[in-house]
Amino acid sequence: GGTAQRRVLATGAQRDHVPSNQRVFSIAAPATHFRYFVANTDQAYIMMTTTMTHIQALMDAMPPVNAMAVKVASLSADRVCLQAPLAANVNDKGCAFGGSIAGVMTLAGWALLRARTLDSPVEVYVADSQIRYLAPLYQGIEAQAWLLDVACWQPAMQRLRERGQASLEVQAQVLGPTPGQPVATMNARFAFVMATGAGDKPAVG
C-alpha cells in the first residue's frame, strides 16, 4: 500500500534482528559515506552493500569518470544518486560543465541498471538520450536516476533471455539549490546485451 516503510539503521549485531526489507545499510569509505536503502518488498531481489562498492569500483576504473570524482551517494532498488564536486567539473563561467552534468546523469542511469544485473553476464550501454539544461548550476552535481516504468523490467529481462538483447527507458535529473526544481533532466534508452561467450541464456530476472 502507500504506507511508508520503517527504515532502521542496521549495523553490527543489530543487523541480525532487523528484517531485510527494513534495513538501511551504511559503510564508511574514504571521502564519502555510502548509504544503501533496501526497500520495496515487491522487488524480486535484495541488493547488498557490496553492490555499492562494486559500482564505485567500476566507475573508478574509468579514467574520465575518475577525473570527474563521481561517487555513489545512495543506491536502492528503484533509484540511484551520484555526486560529483563542482571543483572537478567547473567551466569557464564558474558553474558546472554541461558535459559533466550529462555524464553524471548518464552514469546514474547506467549504475541503476548495472546494479540490477551485477551477477549476470550482461553488459549495459546507453543507446540514446535527450537532455534538457534548465538553469546553470553553481554547486556540486547530484544526479538521480530511476526506471521510467518499473513494470517494464521483467518483460525486458524476458526479451534478454530469449534474444540476447533488450532495452529500457530511464529518467534522470540534477537538482539545484531550490528543492524540487531540477537544473537538468534526461530521458534515455539503455541497452542490455549478453556478454560474449556467456551462453545462450543469461541468468537475469
Side-chain angles (χ1 to χ4, degrees):
T3 303
Q5 285 188 322
R6 181 170 63 94
R7 288 171 172 172
V8 181
L9 180 64
T11 57
Q14 181 187 11
R15 184 181 297 111
D16 299 329
H17 304 290
V18 179
S20 61
N21 65 297
Q22 296 179 356
R23 297 177 189 166
V24 174
F25 293 101
S26 299
I27 57 174
T32 189
H33 187 67
F34 292 75
R35 297 189 54 164
Y36 171 52
F37 301 102
V38 176
N40 297 329
T41 55
D42 59 336
Q43 294 295 333
Y45 64 93
I46 296 177
M47 296 178 184
M48 303 305 291
T49 50
T50 51
T51 302
M52 295 187 70
T53 56
H54 196 147
I55 294 296
Q56 186 67 57
L58 290 173
M59 293 197 304
D60 289 344
M62 304 181 210
V65 179
N66 190 279
M68 293 164 62
V70 180
K71 300 297 180 184
V72 181
S74 65
L75 172 67
S76 76
D78 298 322
R79 187 173 293 249
V80 165
C81 178
L82 303 183
Q83 295 176 340
L86 178 61
N89 298 280
V90 68
N91 64 15
D92 59 318
K93 303 166 193 65
C95 57
F97 177 53
S100 293
I101 290 175
V104 178
M105 286 194 293
T106 302
L107 282 166
W110 168 85
L112 175 68
L113 302 179
R114 194 69 186 90
R116 282 173 165 255
T117 57
L118 206 55
D119 295 327
S120 305
V122 175
E123 299 291 351
V124 179
Y125 304 88
V126 61
D128 56 64
S129 62
Q130 299 80 43
I131 295 171
R132 295 182 64 208
Y133 298 98
L134 306 174
L137 180 66
Y138 292 92
Q139 62 186 46
I141 302 168
E142 182 172 306
Q144 300 176 356
W146 60 94
L147 291 177
L148 177 64
D149 186 354
V150 177
C152 292
W153 176 261
Q154 290 298 341
M157 294 302 98
Q158 182 64 31
R159 290 194 299 275
L160 181 58
R161 284 190 291 268
E162 294 173 351
R163 306 174 188 174
Q165 60 184 15
S167 65
L168 272 173
E169 292 188 47
V170 170
Q171 290 187 318
Q173 65 180 9
V174 171
L175 293 177
T178 303
Q181 293 189 11
V183 299
T185 62
M186 181 186 77
N187 293 317
R189 182 173 60 89
F190 283 80
F192 299 91
V193 179
M194 187 172 62
T196 303
D200 295 329
K201 294 184 179 180
V204 294

